[in-house]
Amino acid sequence: RKEVEQDPGPFNVPEGATVAFNCTYSNSASQSFFWYRQDCRKEPKLLMSVYSSGNEDGRFTAQLNRASQYISLLIRDSKLSDSATYLCVVNRRSNTGKLIFGQGTTLQVKP
Amino acid sequence: NAGVTQTPKFRVLKTGQSMTLLCAQDMNHEYMYWYRQDPGMGLRLIHYSVGEGTTAKGEVPDGYNVSRLKKQNFLLGLESAAPSQTSVYFCASGGYFGPGTRLTVT
Protein backbone atom coordinates (compact mmCIF):
# COMPACT_ATOMS: atom_id res chain seq x y z
CA ARG A 1 0.00 0.00 0.00
CA LYS A 2 1.33 3.46 -0.86
CA GLU A 3 1.94 5.81 2.03
CA VAL A 4 -0.09 8.59 0.39
CA GLU A 5 -2.97 7.66 -1.89
CA GLN A 6 -5.00 9.80 -4.24
CA ASP A 7 -7.59 9.11 -6.90
CA PRO A 8 -5.67 9.92 -10.11
CA GLY A 9 -8.83 11.06 -11.92
CA PRO A 10 -9.06 12.77 -14.31
CA PHE A 11 -11.78 14.99 -12.98
CA ASN A 12 -13.47 16.78 -15.85
CA VAL A 13 -15.63 19.68 -14.67
CA PRO A 14 -17.24 22.74 -16.28
CA GLU A 15 -16.14 26.25 -15.44
CA GLY A 16 -17.79 27.47 -12.27
CA ALA A 17 -18.17 24.02 -10.76
CA THR A 18 -17.10 23.05 -7.27
CA VAL A 19 -14.75 20.07 -7.13
CA ALA A 20 -13.24 18.17 -4.21
CA PHE A 21 -10.16 15.96 -4.05
CA ASN A 22 -9.37 13.52 -1.30
CA CYS A 23 -6.17 11.99 -0.08
CA THR A 24 -5.45 9.35 2.55
CA TYR A 25 -2.17 8.69 4.32
CA SER A 26 -1.13 5.55 6.13
CA ASN A 27 1.43 6.73 8.66
CA SER A 28 -0.18 8.13 11.79
CA ALA A 29 3.15 9.77 12.73
CA SER A 30 2.74 12.23 9.87
CA GLN A 31 2.94 15.76 11.13
CA SER A 32 2.67 18.23 8.25
CA PHE A 33 0.40 18.22 5.25
CA PHE A 34 0.33 20.18 2.01
CA TRP A 35 -1.32 20.48 -1.36
CA TYR A 36 0.87 21.17 -4.36
CA ARG A 37 -0.12 22.03 -7.89
CA GLN A 38 1.80 20.78 -10.93
CA ASP A 39 1.27 22.00 -14.45
CA CYS A 40 2.26 19.81 -17.39
CA ARG A 41 6.07 19.42 -17.63
CA LYS A 42 6.63 21.98 -14.87
CA GLU A 43 7.83 21.72 -11.30
CA PRO A 44 5.35 21.24 -8.45
CA LYS A 45 4.44 24.44 -6.62
CA LEU A 46 3.12 24.76 -3.11
CA LEU A 47 -0.58 25.60 -3.19
CA MET A 48 -1.33 25.58 0.50
CA SER A 49 -0.56 23.97 3.80
CA VAL A 50 -3.27 21.97 5.55
CA TYR A 51 -4.11 22.53 9.20
CA SER A 52 -6.30 20.54 11.54
CA SER A 53 -8.65 23.49 11.95
CA GLY A 54 -9.08 23.75 8.19
CA ASN A 55 -7.86 26.67 6.15
CA GLU A 56 -9.03 28.71 3.22
CA ASP A 57 -7.21 30.69 0.56
CA GLY A 58 -9.60 32.41 -1.81
CA ARG A 59 -11.48 29.73 -3.73
CA PHE A 60 -9.46 26.93 -2.15
CA THR A 61 -10.26 25.19 1.13
CA ALA A 62 -8.13 22.48 2.69
CA GLN A 63 -9.09 20.22 5.56
CA LEU A 64 -7.36 17.58 7.62
CA ASN A 65 -8.93 14.77 9.59
CA ARG A 66 -6.20 13.18 11.72
CA ALA A 67 -8.47 10.52 13.17
CA SER A 68 -9.34 9.22 9.71
CA GLN A 69 -5.92 10.11 8.22
CA TYR A 70 -7.63 11.99 5.45
CA ILE A 71 -6.92 15.29 3.69
CA SER A 72 -9.18 17.16 1.30
CA LEU A 73 -8.99 20.08 -1.11
CA LEU A 74 -12.10 21.92 -2.26
CA ILE A 75 -12.01 24.27 -5.24
CA ARG A 76 -14.99 26.57 -5.70
CA ASP A 77 -15.96 28.41 -8.88
CA SER A 78 -13.44 26.48 -11.00
CA LYS A 79 -11.50 28.43 -13.61
CA LEU A 80 -9.90 27.15 -16.80
CA SER A 81 -6.57 28.06 -15.23
CA ASP A 82 -7.18 25.59 -12.39
CA SER A 83 -6.54 22.74 -14.83
CA ALA A 84 -3.50 20.94 -13.44
CA THR A 85 -2.45 17.98 -11.33
CA TYR A 86 -2.93 18.39 -7.59
CA LEU A 87 -0.49 16.56 -5.34
CA CYS A 88 -1.14 15.62 -1.75
CA VAL A 89 2.02 15.76 0.34
CA VAL A 90 2.78 14.45 3.81
CA ASN A 91 5.81 15.16 5.95
CA ARG A 92 6.94 12.90 8.77
CA ARG A 93 9.10 15.50 10.37
CA SER A 94 10.25 13.23 13.15
CA ASN A 95 13.91 12.97 12.32
CA THR A 96 13.83 12.67 8.57
CA GLY A 97 11.90 15.58 7.12
CA LYS A 98 10.95 13.50 4.08
CA LEU A 99 8.22 14.88 1.88
CA ILE A 100 6.07 11.99 0.67
CA PHE A 101 4.00 12.69 -2.43
CA GLY A 102 0.80 11.13 -3.61
CA GLN A 103 0.54 10.27 -7.28
CA GLY A 104 -1.61 13.32 -7.94
CA THR A 105 -5.15 14.01 -9.11
CA THR A 106 -5.64 15.51 -12.55
CA LEU A 107 -8.23 18.25 -12.96
CA GLN A 108 -9.46 19.44 -16.34
CA VAL A 109 -11.78 22.44 -16.27
CA LYS A 110 -13.72 22.85 -19.50
CA PRO A 111 -15.47 25.95 -20.90
CA ASN B 1 17.01 35.63 -4.49
CA ALA B 2 16.97 32.87 -7.10
CA GLY B 3 15.20 30.24 -4.98
CA VAL B 4 16.09 26.78 -6.25
CA THR B 5 18.10 26.36 -9.43
CA GLN B 6 19.08 23.21 -11.27
CA THR B 7 21.72 22.63 -13.90
CA PRO B 8 21.63 21.41 -16.57
CA LYS B 9 18.05 21.79 -17.83
CA PHE B 10 18.40 19.07 -20.46
CA ARG B 11 20.91 16.32 -21.09
CA VAL B 12 21.27 13.29 -23.34
CA LEU B 13 23.64 10.55 -22.20
CA LYS B 14 24.73 7.29 -23.71
CA THR B 15 24.44 4.13 -21.63
CA GLY B 16 27.38 3.85 -19.28
CA GLN B 17 28.26 7.53 -19.22
CA SER B 18 28.35 9.45 -15.98
CA MET B 19 27.09 12.87 -15.02
CA THR B 20 26.32 15.11 -12.07
CA LEU B 21 23.20 17.18 -11.60
CA LEU B 22 23.59 20.30 -9.49
CA CYS B 23 20.93 21.81 -7.26
CA ALA B 24 21.53 25.14 -5.55
CA GLN B 25 19.37 27.06 -3.09
CA ASP B 26 19.77 30.48 -1.52
CA MET B 27 17.08 30.16 1.16
CA ASN B 28 19.30 28.68 3.87
CA HIS B 29 17.18 25.52 4.04
CA GLU B 30 18.44 22.51 5.92
CA TYR B 31 16.38 19.95 4.01
CA MET B 32 17.03 19.21 0.37
CA TYR B 33 15.68 16.40 -1.81
CA TRP B 34 16.12 14.74 -5.17
CA TYR B 35 13.05 13.25 -6.89
CA ARG B 36 12.47 11.63 -10.21
CA GLN B 37 9.20 11.79 -12.08
CA ASP B 38 8.18 9.35 -14.78
CA PRO B 39 4.92 9.43 -16.73
CA GLY B 40 2.11 8.00 -14.64
CA MET B 41 4.44 7.30 -11.68
CA GLY B 42 4.31 10.47 -9.66
CA LEU B 43 7.30 11.84 -7.77
CA ARG B 44 9.64 9.29 -6.22
CA LEU B 45 12.27 10.26 -3.67
CA ILE B 46 15.81 9.25 -4.66
CA HIS B 47 17.95 10.71 -1.86
CA TYR B 48 17.61 13.52 0.59
CA SER B 49 19.65 15.54 3.05
CA VAL B 50 18.74 17.01 6.40
CA GLY B 51 21.78 19.26 6.58
CA GLU B 52 25.29 19.97 5.38
CA GLY B 53 27.40 16.82 5.31
CA THR B 54 24.43 14.46 5.67
CA THR B 55 22.62 12.34 3.10
CA ALA B 56 20.08 9.52 3.26
CA LYS B 57 18.40 7.11 0.88
CA GLY B 58 14.89 7.59 -0.36
CA GLU B 59 12.67 5.02 -1.99
CA VAL B 60 14.60 4.59 -5.29
CA PRO B 61 18.32 5.21 -4.50
CA ASP B 62 19.92 2.49 -6.62
CA GLY B 63 22.19 3.79 -9.38
CA TYR B 64 22.52 7.25 -7.82
CA ASN B 65 24.86 8.92 -5.36
CA VAL B 66 24.59 12.30 -3.68
CA SER B 67 26.72 14.76 -1.80
CA ARG B 68 25.98 17.81 0.36
CA LEU B 69 29.38 19.34 0.99
CA LYS B 70 27.93 22.85 1.24
CA LYS B 71 24.57 23.71 2.71
CA GLN B 72 23.43 25.50 -0.43
CA ASN B 73 24.30 22.71 -2.87
CA PHE B 74 22.99 19.18 -3.29
CA LEU B 75 24.57 17.10 -6.05
CA LEU B 76 23.08 14.00 -7.67
CA GLY B 77 25.46 11.69 -9.50
CA LEU B 78 24.85 8.94 -12.01
CA GLU B 79 27.98 6.80 -12.21
CA SER B 80 26.92 4.58 -15.10
CA ALA B 81 23.74 5.77 -16.75
CA ALA B 82 21.09 3.28 -17.87
CA PRO B 83 18.04 3.79 -20.09
CA SER B 84 15.84 3.16 -17.02
CA GLN B 85 17.19 6.43 -15.61
CA THR B 86 15.55 8.42 -18.38
CA SER B 87 13.33 10.74 -16.41
CA VAL B 88 12.70 14.27 -15.20
CA TYR B 89 14.71 15.02 -12.07
CA PHE B 90 13.46 17.59 -9.60
CA CYS B 91 15.39 19.01 -6.72
CA ALA B 92 13.52 20.48 -3.77
CA SER B 93 14.72 22.68 -0.95
CA GLY B 94 12.40 23.05 2.00
CA GLY B 95 9.09 22.88 0.17
CA TYR B 96 10.25 24.61 -3.01
CA PHE B 97 11.16 22.87 -6.26
CA GLY B 98 13.67 23.66 -8.94
CA PRO B 99 12.60 23.72 -12.60
CA GLY B 100 13.78 20.18 -13.28
CA THR B 101 16.38 18.42 -15.43
CA ARG B 102 15.15 16.37 -18.35
CA LEU B 103 17.54 13.46 -18.81
CA THR B 104 17.47 10.96 -21.67
CA VAL B 105 19.73 7.93 -21.64
CA THR B 106 20.08 6.18 -24.99
Side-chain angles (χ1 to χ4, degrees):
Chain A
R1 183 187 172 191
K2 292 182 180 177
E3 188 165 344
V4 180
E5 296 208 60
Q6 295 181 250
D7 179 350
F11 285 60
N12 294 301
V13 303
E15 270 187 291
T18 295
V19 61
F21 307 136
N22 302 321
C23 166
T24 57
Y25 60 96
S26 60
N27 193 320
S28 59
S30 301
Q31 297 186 20
S32 305
F33 309 90
F34 310 92
W35 283 102
Y36 277 70
R37 170 193 169 126
Q38 186 174 26
D39 294 290
C40 187
R41 298 178 67 81
K42 300 279 192 176
E43 73 272 25
K45 293 187 178 177
L46 179 64
L47 181 64
M48 58 198 302
S49 301
V50 187
Y51 304 113
S52 297
S53 55
N55 48 298
E56 190 173 303
D57 183 1
R59 297 181 293 108
F60 298 83
T61 301
Q63 293 201 307
L64 165 65
N65 184 321
R66 285 188 185 271
S68 301
Q69 295 181 200
Y70 168 99
I71 305 158
S72 66
L73 177 68
L74 182 77
I75 305 176
R76 290 181 298 278
D77 189 22
S78 299
K79 311 290 184 193
L80 295 176
S81 57
D82 293 334
S83 298
T85 296
Y86 291 83
L87 303 165
C88 174
V89 184
V90 168
N91 187 345
R92 278 185 280 131
R93 203 174 272 276
S94 50
N95 59 354
T96 62
K98 286 195 292 185
L99 293 175
I100 309 297
F101 283 77
Q103 194 168 341
T105 298
T106 298
L107 172 66
Q108 186 68 44
V109 181
K110 299 192 180 296
Chain B
N1 185 339
V4 183
T5 58
Q6 290 184 234
T7 52
K9 288 187 169 54
F10 302 93
R11 184 73 186 267
V12 178
L13 287 179
K14 294 188 189 309
T15 297
Q17 287 184 317
S18 63
M19 77 165 294
T20 299
L21 283 67
L22 170 64
C23 177
Q25 54 102 356
D26 59 5
M27 297 175 284
N28 203 35
H29 288 150
E30 294 291 341
Y31 295 93
M32 295 185 74
Y33 315 82
W34 275 107
Y35 292 88
R36 62 177 286 174
Q37 187 171 40
D38 303 300
M41 294 290 290
L43 285 154
R44 292 185 290 169
L45 182 64
I46 305 171
H47 285 279
Y48 63 101
S49 169
V50 300
E52 182 179 314
T54 73
T55 63
K57 293 180 180 180
E59 56 180 310
V60 288
D62 293 342
Y64 305 95
N65 56 75
V66 287
S67 65
R68 184 100 180 265
L69 298 178
K70 293 183 179 180
K71 187 177 185 179
Q72 63 266 37
N73 295 335
F74 194 28
L75 278 64
L76 178 71
L78 286 73
E79 290 186 346
S80 179
S84 60
Q85 294 178 304
T86 293
S87 189
V88 180
Y89 291 85
F90 287 107
C91 172
S93 172
Y96 300 92
F97 280 78
T101 295
R102 282 163 177 75
L103 175 66
T104 301
V105 183
T106 61

